[in-house]
Amino acid sequence: MDSRTIDVVKDSERIGWYRVDKGMITVTSAKNSRSKTTRAAPGDNEGLARLMLHEPWAS
């Protein structure tokens, strides 16, 4: 896994971004710049990032 920043886009608007590093995913909300870190999924993490960006902390 690499640690580059990957944008999460919805309706051509950047709603947040995430990084995967050492088995952990850090998701940051574009609305309030708050971040949350959890264990990364073994496969594609974009779905996990999208799900996390719908949680109350990201609003």
Side-chain angles (χ1 to χ4, degrees), residues 1-55:
M1 291 190 192
D2 59 52
S3 61
R4 63 191 167 109
T5 300
I6 302 166
D7 289 339
V8 180
V9 179
K10 180 179 179 185
D11 298 329
S12 68
E13 180 182 343
R14 183 183 191 204
I15 60 171
W17 56 93
Y18 69 96
R19 294 176 63 100
V20 178
D21 189 32
K22 298 179 184 172
M24 301 299 285
I25 181 172
T26 300
V27 180
T28 304
S29 170
K31 288 182 183 177
N32 59 19
S33 298
R34 293 178 72 187
S35 298
K36 192 160 193 172
T37 302
T38 191
R39 188 176 309 268
D44 179 34
N45 285 290
E46 185 172 352
L48 176 57
R50 287 182 182 280
L51 182 66
M52 289 174 70
L53 285 167
H54 283 83
E55 294 177 357

